[in-house]
Amino acid sequence: MAAIESVMHEGRVFEPAASIVETAAVSGMPAYHALVAEAERDYEGFWGRLARTALDWQTPFTKVLDESRAPFYTWFEDGRLNASYNCLDRHVENGLGEKAALIFEADDGTVTRVSYRDLLARVSRLANALKARGVKTGDRVVIYMPMSVEGVVAMQACARIGATHSVVFGGFSSKSLNERIVDAGAVAVITADEQMRGGRALPLKSIVDEALAAGGTETVTSVIVYRRTGGDVHWDAARDLWLHELVATQSDVCAPEWVGAEHPLFILYTSGSTGKPKGVQHSTGGYLLWAQQTMQWTFDIKSEDVFWCTADIGWITGHTYICYGPTAAGATQVIFEGVPTYPDAGRFWKMIEQHRVTVFYTAPTAIRSLIKAADANPEVHPRRYDLSSLRVIGTVGEPINPAAWMWYHDEVGGGRCPIVDTFWQTETGGHVISPLPGATPLVPGSCTLPLPGILAAVVDETGQEVPNGQGGILVIKRPWPAMLRTVWRDPERFRKSYFPEELGGTLYLAGDGAVRDATTGNFTIMGRIDDVLNISGHRMGTMEIESALVSHPLVAEAAVVGRPDDTTGEAIVAFVVLKRTRPTGDEGRAIANELRAWVAKQIGPIAKPRDLRFGDNLPKTRSGKIMRRLLRGLAKGETAPQDTSTLENPAILEQLGEAL
Ligand code: 6R9
């Protein structure tokens, strides 16, 4: 809570510089308030106007919003369009064919430029190849790819033919990949032989092989492999195909498949409060509208900008602000294969300098680790690089602490670039609460105000709005076009998770706590209120990690909590009871390492517990409930737990407090 306290007492305010206000898409607070008022006055008219302006429709829509099947809202339903057409063809038709769409920098520094015309041709060839393999509109295609031009091409190719993609982050294990392929019922998997990160080659194709061998994946008839490193791969001639061979014979013209606005553009799995990740399903029209609109509002994107979002396409940020938003806006963007610390921690700054990046978007966890690196080694300090091209800088994924905000502002932004601290989620499709760079006065650590058309509020447990200054539950009061449509194959889970009866059934529950400033109304996000952890900006369910742990033959019981961490935001702490006696010393450390490796194998390295504690038991109430509040205290290193009167077995707290 210390970080939140310091945000709430934050008195510094940074007004946007006149030079930014002058040219911004939303110029000054009156312009922001005018948009907010327009949405309040005529909600459907507002969204209809934006959708008609931002997107090209093959068949115009006649109705904006249908609430008759709430909370299964539909937007622009009788309109038809194609996402890939809006991201590629229309720019080529408008004379931007030679403009750079992608500036790809590989792990080893090699740079490849891809123009809009070239990107369209590559997307069309792969789209034709997918069709030739029998992939049809509405089929699901799983993409398990490194950061690459081919990764973006694969997503856009699916969109072109109306196939619904589901990208799985390349750090997930074969088991996680298998579960997602099975749940999605994918007909094809697009992958690479290996990926390069920080000078090391890491396997992808062999993980796909394992995932498909694990069963339940009979629907998959094609595995398309992009040759990235040329490393050895096992080959199954019945289903495996080299991407370069497959596209070589295809035409570079492919008519886009016009789909209804509600057609599922993609499914993206994310962690929730149960052990099973949810397939968040997004639409084509509403989603794409917001991807493009927020590029204009939040990033103030202009035709001469060079945009760089450092996320991976495996996360929602890489979907909205790499694959779809920048291309829909016709922008030039940098995409990066590697990691921020290779060959040294000056890599981001060097790339900004080299590519003259103007709008830069990254995660607080990256900023915090680069602060540490710069403190330790002045050679990699941002002030050693020419960052004068930067105009707007942004963050996403977790709260940014005021100290990191100030460093980002002064050392990276040179004190002149507004910081857009964008709050949003896999489910919201795009930004929902964020400053506008040419309007909003900035307060370090606050994501400030809702974007026009987003009716965010803070409520109590019964759904009643609480006064500003009082903490509560973050909700959105009306549907918006980019919101998730459902949980894939589980509409009941969608309703229960996001529109709970307890809050009245009509409020969208974000899953975060928040407080609004008493005078400005600015929002400060106070972190998740459910059993979801945020590790380096990545969502991880505690239940998922617990079920991975208890599937190990040695483990009887496990409870997972988060503890605050200076660099990663939160760190995973696991309390474990073994089926044998409690191990200590070297033996305890050896078993802890084995369990960490086990979790990495079950879910992926990001889910590995930082700390593992063994006990003869877990702290439980007399009715047998695990007391997570106590575990969170122990994880933080608190020794004397608060109130243990309801605890069945107080003695074990001492055991669990012992670090290995
Ligand atoms: C885009 C993305 C969503 C969760 C969200 C919240 C946290 C994201 C934030 C933020 C504070 C911000 N979060 N942005 N917290 N300030 N600017 O990250 O999506 O992976 O689904 O995570 O991340 O807790 O609920 P996702």
Side-chain angles (χ1 to χ4, degrees), residues 308 347-357 382 384-390:
W308 181 19
R347 183 72 183 264
F348 276 4
W349 322 133
K350 182 164 171 272
M351 284 180 62
I352 292 171
E353 176 179 283
Q354 183 186 346
H355 301 296
R356 304 301 292 158
V357 171
R384 286 293 175 97
Y385 300 82
D386 176 6
L387 306 183
S388 60
S389 56
L390 288 174

Side-chain angles (χ1 to χ4, degrees), residues 131-315:
K131 284 206 278 194
R133 290 296 302 174
V135 180
K136 298 182 304 296
T137 304
D139 284 347
R140 275 80 57 210
V141 174
V142 162
I143 297 176
Y144 189 64
M145 297 275 273
M147 280 302 295
S148 51
V149 172
E150 286 70 14
V152 174
V153 167
M155 294 166 79
Q156 290 277 350
C158 289
R160 193 157 191 91
I161 64 171
T164 300
H165 59 69
S166 185
V167 184
V168 178
F169 174 59
F172 276 116
S173 68
S174 63
K175 184 161 180 285
S176 298
L177 178 59
N178 169 272
E179 285 162 5
R180 287 157 172 77
I181 293 171
V182 173
D183 192 75
V187 301
V189 177
I190 309 179
T191 188
D193 50 359
E194 297 180 304
Q195 57 180 330
M196 289 302 300
R197 286 175 76 79
R200 289 197 304 150
L202 303 167
L204 288 173
K205 169 67 165 64
S206 66
I207 297 175
V208 172
D209 292 339
E210 273 177 42
L212 294 179
T217 56
E218 297 72 22
T219 47
V220 177
T221 51
S222 309
V223 175
I224 300 171
V225 187
Y226 157 51
R227 184 183 273 162
R228 168 62 186 90
T229 64
D232 274 347
V233 288
H234 167 81
W235 208 251
D236 177 346
R239 66 163 208 223
D240 294 349
L241 305 134
W242 285 113
L243 187 139
H244 60 273
E245 288 176 4
L246 197 61
V247 298
T249 53
Q250 295 297 337
S251 158
D252 58 11
V253 176
C254 172
E257 183 73 31
W258 306 110
V259 296
E262 284 297 316
H263 183 73
L265 180 61
F266 64 88
I267 304 164
L268 183 58
Y269 288 85
T270 189
S271 294
S273 343
T274 75
K276 193 173 174 275
K278 347 180 220 207
V280 168
Q281 178 182 321
H282 277 288
S283 69
T284 300
Y287 170 82
L288 195 65
L289 159 62
W290 204 224
Q292 181 178 334
Q293 193 65 54
T294 49
M295 285 300 296
Q296 266 144 19
W297 282 351
T298 313
F299 294 123
D300 189 36
I301 202 78
K302 305 252 190 279
S303 57
E304 61 280 9
D305 272 318
V306 177
F307 178 78
W308 181 19
C309 164
T310 68
D312 190 285
I313 51 167
W315 309 112

Side-chain angles (χ1 to χ4, degrees), residues 426-559:
T426 304
E427 294 87 342
T428 67
H431 306 148
V432 285
I433 308 181
S434 173
L436 300 179
T440 319
L442 305 174
V443 177
S446 167
C447 54
T448 72
L449 296 168
L451 292 181
I454 303 294
L455 279 75
V458 181
V459 301
D460 64 17
E461 291 76 32
T462 65
Q464 293 304 306
E465 244 171 277
V466 301
N468 286 357
Q470 195 174 311
I473 300 168
L474 178 65
V475 297
I476 301 178
K477 295 193 285 188
R478 292 212 61 186
W480 66 102
M483 67 188 288
L484 78 164
R485 292 303 189 261
T486 188
V487 171
W488 176 253
R489 285 190 173 151
D490 201 348
E492 250 334 276
R493 189 167 178 197
F494 166 76
R495 189 197 289 274
K496 285 205 184 102
S497 309
Y498 301 110
F499 294 92
E501 285 306 324
E502 297 81 348
L503 298 183
T506 61
L507 300 174
Y508 167 81
L509 174 68
D512 284 282
V515 60
R516 301 190 70 165
D517 182 84
T519 41
T520 58
N522 279 340
F523 284 75
T524 294
I525 304 298
M526 291 158 57
R528 300 288 305 192
I529 53 171
D530 53 10
D531 296 322
V532 173
L533 304 180
N534 192 324
I535 317 297
S536 300
H538 300 320
R539 270 164 76 167
M540 226 38 264
T542 52
M543 293 262 288
E544 274 174 86
I545 307 170
E546 287 166 9
S547 42
L549 282 166
V550 297
S551 72
H552 188 282
L554 276 180
V555 177
E557 206 177 5

Side-chain angles (χ1 to χ4, degrees), residues 369-450:
S369 72
L370 296 177
I371 293 175
K372 268 196 193 162
D375 284 349
N377 173 13
E379 293 295 315
V380 298
H381 196 284
R383 80 171 75 94
R384 286 293 175 97
Y385 300 82
D386 176 6
L387 306 183
S388 60
S389 56
L390 288 174
R391 205 165 69 74
V392 175
I393 56 182
T395 69
V396 57
E398 49 180 327
I400 180 163
N401 49 306
W405 194 100
M406 284 309 306
W407 188 89
Y408 194 37
H409 184 261
D410 294 345
E411 307 296 347
V412 180
R416 71 181 185 280
C417 303
I419 297 181
V420 286
D421 172 355
T422 61
F423 170 84
W424 60 296
Q425 310 176 293
T426 304
E427 294 87 342
T428 67
H431 306 148
V432 285
I433 308 181
S434 173
L436 300 179
T440 319
L442 305 174
V443 177
S446 167
C447 54
T448 72
L449 296 168

